[in-house]
Amino acid sequence: MRKDQTLGAYLFSQGVSRRGFLKFCSATASLMALPPTMVGRVAAALENARRPSVIWLSFQECTGCTESLTRSHAPTVESLIFDAISLDYHHTLQAAAGHGAEAAREAAMEENAGEYLLVVDGSIPIGNPAYSTIAGISNLDMLKESAANAAAIIAVGTCAAYGGIPHANPNPTGAVSVSDIIKDKPIINVSGCPPIPVVITGVLAHFLTFGSIPELDELGRPKAFFGQSIHDRCYRRPFYERGQFAKSFDDEGARQGWCLYELGCKGPTTYNACATLKWNEGTSFPIGSGHGCIGCSEPDFWDKGSFYRPIAAGLWGSRDALLGAAAAGAAIGIGTALAARSKKKRANAAKETEST
Amino acid sequence: MTLLDFARGPALQWSMIILVAGVLWRLGGTILINAKKDLSKARKEHAVADGLKTIATRSLPAHQFEKNIRFQHFSGYAWHIALFVSVLFFAPHILFFESVLGFGWPSLPNSIILITAAIALAILFALLIRRATHPVQRIISNADDYISILVVIAPLITGILAFAHLGARYETLLAVHLLSVEALFVWFPFGKLMHTALTFPSRYQAGSSYGRKGVRA
Amino acid sequence: MSALDTISVRVEASSGNVRPLLHEIRHALQRVADGGIGTTIDLGSLPLAPGEEKRIEELLGSGELRAELDALGPTVLQETRYAGVWFVTHRNTEQEVVARFIEVTRVPELLLAQEVDMQRAVHELEKQLEVN
């Protein structure tokens, strides 16, 4: 597909029928979590959509986000990624290497200045930029340089969105998120460790379809996917309401599929689409497989105590501190009482000597 | 650090330390304080039975006043029971107690807790209005009474809102709920909420003291 | 029987969403029967327990008509045993399910010949006539 060609014209020239196009649109609308009534608008927009250039930068990351993306079963994800968008730089997926690859990135940035979409996965070490470099360029410099002329930035994964695991205490590399550095560009946070693959493609599809960024929540995440908590959309919610909880991972309650709240599920404080979109072609999601949500799409999920500590249990420190407080309190109480007694005694004694 | 992290972490820790230290301070001080010297010979040396009896008898309204305090008395019971059920039998609360005490107990379904919490809130609210409008109650109420009611009403309201996901995001509501409970913890040892720990000891003390003097309590 | 089958995990949990969905379908069907407009329900947007999607499929059953479309991968449009209620499954060229819908309508729009396709067909037919 040529860059100046619209998607509609491209698909038509490829012999894709209108029916095929409509199917593509309804699957895309579903992917973007839009109601089916929006298919018409999606079709109209996609028909005139032009192929955006995408530059994908991978910083301090584990490649799990890219692994997730390539397992997306989204509507003909291949056509979306390789036809409908122009992935001009992605150092895991591209064939080019070395200077050639960097030259391609620079060329794409120049050619599409102000229009390209910048996708970032991984956090950026600013404690010492040498912790992560590409072609001798620090992540910090590469991000600033690539963001300067981007139309928008998609921070894929919790690392890019909020610092993620590299940012976890004690954060040895001084890792920060994209939004900690870039302040003057629209940033869409697609969090998750990794994000749900169809959410990544869904956000790309939204940009492709409407040429704009979707409505975001206060943490910069698309509301369409992160608008509701795992708990709110969980099929095990009725068990929570009835007070039926699995107490261990192999008790009768666990076998009956009861709520995992007591086993540390972070569903109530985690916003993501796992409970509806699910994983592996919609097969299941962690709670469906019997494990509580670990809250991976939330900032600092790694530092919120054990994955197996219930939310309600709080992080109130140790019993020792409480016992210490108890001992100190009792000591002060007894001490003041005894002091009062002896004072009274002395006063009485003084009174008696006075009267005699 | 988010508001919820603060509420679950340092705020919870420090409020619990203040609660425990404060309660033991006051208990220790109150129990060991000098009893008044007998000004005449005690009728009996050990009045344990009188103390225990008074704990029980004062659980019912005194005959002489029954007509006047019936509403006060039974609404007080209803509200305390509703509060205890809500506090002690809501599954997330039990998880909290379990994390502190090391053991838990069975919970009640959320629908029942919602009802008891609503009852507790409604009665407490009615009692608050009565306190503020009743000519006698108004005069004998001080700031301590109102602060004590406020720090109990706040967790009830925020708890119900958090439960129903009303007004804000759940984690914000939960954080506010925890903070309101922490305010209660901090106020608890220093105000009239200490009655929770002192009611029975002070009834006992009154009973046994009257017993020594030969007064019918 | 594999070792997996010996694990006594009950997969038929309930989200409580199946009955409301059936009610929604009933109301939508009544609307269409009264001459109103149709409804499309995206199954991907519902929180369903494991096995519930299959249960919905079984509850709706198969009716008289089944159509297959081959465009960017196969799509099956199966009328359920309730006339006017269709189960639509889109697959991509790798046969992976990309979206599932329940459509409540007389005929799913995807079955209708599309104007653009007909224009192209006319053009091609003309070319065919010129050749012969």
Side-chain angles (χ1 to χ4, degrees):
Chain A
M1 179 176 168
R2 294 197 320 272
K3 279 189 179 164
D4 55 352
Q5 203 176 20
T6 63
L7 185 62
Y10 168 74
L11 290 174
F12 193 78
S13 73
Q14 294 294 301
V16 174
S17 67
R18 181 76 189 172
R19 277 202 190 103
F21 178 69
L22 285 178
K23 167 180 170 174
F24 176 78
C25 293
S26 43
T28 304
S30 169
L31 175 69
M32 289 189 281
L34 292 174
T37 46
M38 289 285 284
V39 172
R41 276 188 60 189
V42 171
L46 272 179
E47 197 156 24
N48 297 309
R50 277 167 215 281
R51 190 187 191 204
S53 168
V54 173
I55 294 172
W56 186 304
L57 302 177
S58 298
F59 296 148
Q60 276 194 146
E61 45 82 46
C62 66
T63 314
C65 296
T66 296
E67 289 286 341
S68 177
L69 173 70
T70 55
R71 274 149 187 75
S72 172
H73 64 287
T76 50
V77 64
E78 301 77 7
S79 73
L80 185 69
I81 302 292
F82 299 111
D83 292 342
I85 68 169
S86 167
L87 190 61
D88 291 327
Y89 181 88
H90 186 307
H91 69 207
T92 308
L93 300 179
Q94 70 198 356
H99 293 301
E102 294 312 306
R105 181 176 64 89
E106 279 158 22
M109 277 164 50
E110 197 173 318
E111 215 175 290
N112 305 293
E115 286 171 2
Y116 61 85
L117 191 62
L118 183 65
V119 181
V120 178
D121 67 332
S123 64
I124 302 99
I126 55 170
N128 179 347
Y131 280 127
S132 178
T133 64
I134 299 163
I137 308 168
S138 74
N139 290 168
L140 181 64
D141 289 342
M142 190 177 276
L143 175 62
K144 282 182 173 167
E145 185 190 314
S146 308
N149 283 318
I153 303 172
I154 303 180
V156 167
T158 304
C159 295
Y162 311 121
I165 292 173
H167 179 76
N169 188 37
N171 191 1
T173 64
V176 298
S177 69
V178 172
S179 55
D180 284 332
I181 294 168
I182 306 299
K183 303 286 182 193
D184 58 347
K185 295 283 172 187
I187 298 172
I188 309 166
N189 288 330
V190 181
S191 63
C193 191
I196 302 173
V198 291
V199 173
I200 308 176
T201 38
V203 172
L204 284 171
H206 186 104
F207 186 80
L208 169 72
T209 309
F210 299 113
S212 64
I213 63 168
E215 198 189 345
L216 306 176
D217 71 1
E218 53 261 54
L219 291 170
R221 300 176 295 198
K223 276 189 176 166
F225 303 107
F226 297 91
Q228 279 165 313
S229 72
I230 299 291
H231 187 61
D232 280 346
R233 304 294 275 168
C234 183
Y235 75 90
R236 296 195 187 204
R237 180 67 182 267
F239 296 112
Y240 173 86
E241 301 300 345
R242 288 199 291 270
Q244 293 174 310
F245 299 97
K247 308 279 182 187
S248 76
F249 286 107
D250 59 354
D251 69 357
E252 190 50 32
R255 283 166 210 271
Q256 299 286 332
W258 288 359
C259 177
L260 300 166
Y261 185 86
E262 295 199 0
L263 293 170
C265 181
K266 303 294 182 288
T269 53
T270 305
Y271 293 77
N272 207 337
C274 303
T276 45
L277 292 180
K278 302 185 179 158
W279 292 74
N280 300 321
E281 286 177 60
T283 305
S284 186
F285 70 119
I287 294 168
S289 309
H291 191 285
C293 169
I294 63 170
C296 76
S297 57
E298 296 299 312
D300 300 321
F301 75 100
W302 205 260
D303 290 324
K304 290 186 191 288
S306 163
F307 291 155
Y308 303 101
R309 188 175 176 85
I311 297 170
L315 300 165
W316 46 268
S318 66
R319 279 197 194 119
D320 295 346
L322 290 185
L323 289 176
I332 298 170
I334 293 167
T336 44
L338 293 181
R341 273 189 184 198
S342 69
K343 199 176 158 191
K344 203 169 170 188
K345 225 180 211 169
R346 268 192 319 250
N348 285 346
K351 224 189 254 169
E352 270 166 36
T353 31
E354 252 170 50
S355 58
T356 48
Chain B
M1 182 179 274
T2 64
L3 192 64
L4 181 58
D5 293 337
F6 174 70
R8 284 182 75 204
L12 184 57
Q13 181 169 16
W14 282 106
S15 64
M16 283 168 71
I17 286 174
I18 294 171
L19 172 73
V20 170
V23 166
L24 279 153
W25 166 42
R26 289 208 52 196
L27 270 183
T30 314
I31 290 169
L32 288 181
I33 202 89
N34 244 357
K36 270 203 182 109
K37 230 181 188 166
D38 293 334
L39 295 175
S40 63
K41 193 176 178 299
R43 301 296 159 99
K44 40 177 129 158
E45 205 43 56
H46 300 287
V48 178
D50 298 83
L52 294 176
K53 199 182 124 200
T54 308
I55 292 181
T57 54
R58 296 236 171 141
S59 298
L60 290 170
H63 286 306
Q64 297 84 336
F65 308 120
E66 200 174 342
K67 234 167 130 188
N68 294 332
I69 64 168
R70 200 179 285 143
F71 168 77
Q72 187 85 3
H73 195 85
F74 290 102
S75 60
Y77 261 108
W79 121 252
H80 275 90
I81 290 167
L83 179 75
F84 282 140
V85 171
S86 315
V87 170
L88 296 178
F89 294 100
F90 184 42
H93 294 169
I94 295 171
L95 290 176
F96 171 72
F97 294 124
E98 194 174 351
S99 80
V100 179
L101 302 172
F103 59 88
W105 50 86
S107 62
L108 286 171
N110 291 353
S111 49
I112 292 175
I113 300 298
L114 187 62
I115 294 168
T116 57
I119 291 172
L121 179 63
I123 298 177
L124 186 57
F125 201 68
L127 291 177
L128 173 65
I129 291 173
R130 190 176 138 96
R131 181 179 289 280
T133 53
H134 191 279
V136 176
Q137 278 212 326
R138 224 174 66 180
I139 293 166
I140 60 168
S141 296
N142 61 14
D144 187 354
D145 288 292
Y146 290 107
I147 295 172
S148 298
I149 289 178
L150 194 75
V151 295
V152 178
I153 251 184
L156 276 169
I157 293 175
T158 57
I160 291 170
L161 289 179
F163 176 83
H165 292 211
L166 276 176
R169 286 165 80 92
Y170 175 72
E171 59 272 26
T172 311
L173 294 168
L174 181 61
V176 173
H177 177 57
L178 286 172
L179 289 170
S180 68
V181 172
E182 287 151 12
L184 183 151
F185 283 179
V186 170
W187 179 251
F188 187 96
F190 310 109
K192 291 197 176 179
L193 291 178
M194 257 312 271
H195 78 269
T196 313
L198 292 176
T199 300
F200 295 115
S202 66
R203 276 186 198 169
Y204 175 84
Q205 162 63 22
S208 71
S209 157
Y210 286 142
R212 281 169 67 83
K213 292 172 187 166
V215 178
R216 193 173 65 91
Chain C
M1 192 165 126
S2 78
L4 275 179
D5 298 323
T6 63
I7 301 173
S8 58
V9 171
R10 214 179 61 168
V11 289
E12 276 195 19
S14 168
S15 64
N17 282 330
V18 174
R19 271 187 77 82
L21 178 73
L22 293 179
H23 276 289
E24 190 183 344
I25 293 171
R26 185 178 74 80
H27 286 292
L29 190 56
Q30 185 66 59
R31 244 188 338 264
V32 173
D34 294 343
I37 54 162
T39 300
T40 305
I41 299 160
D42 184 352
L43 282 176
S45 67
L46 299 172
L48 295 175
E52 278 189 333
E53 199 167 306
K54 210 164 164 228
R55 203 145 90 234
I56 294 166
E57 216 178 320
E58 282 164 8
L59 280 168
L60 293 176
S62 317
E64 290 167 336
L65 192 65
R66 175 190 163 91
E68 273 192 55
L69 172 71
D70 188 17
L72 297 173
T75 289
V76 173
L77 303 106
Q78 171 76 56
E79 192 177 24
T80 67
R81 84 164 77 103
Y82 306 102
V85 182
W86 304 74
F87 218 100
V88 182
T89 306
H90 294 304
R91 289 173 191 275
N92 64 13
T93 43
E94 276 79 49
Q95 309 295 317
E96 296 163 334
V97 174
V98 294
R100 302 197 86 186
F101 297 97
I102 290 172
E103 283 198 45
V104 185
T105 180
R106 284 172 193 280
V107 186
E109 207 201 332
L110 223 44
L111 283 182
L112 303 174
Q114 302 289 315
E115 201 189 316
V116 193
D117 294 337
M118 288 191 286
Q119 294 290 1
R120 179 150 61 179
V122 170
H123 191 68
E124 278 164 13
L125 197 53
E126 276 169 358
K127 266 205 303 203
Q128 184 75 24
L129 288 169
E130 276 166 27
V131 173
N132 296 334

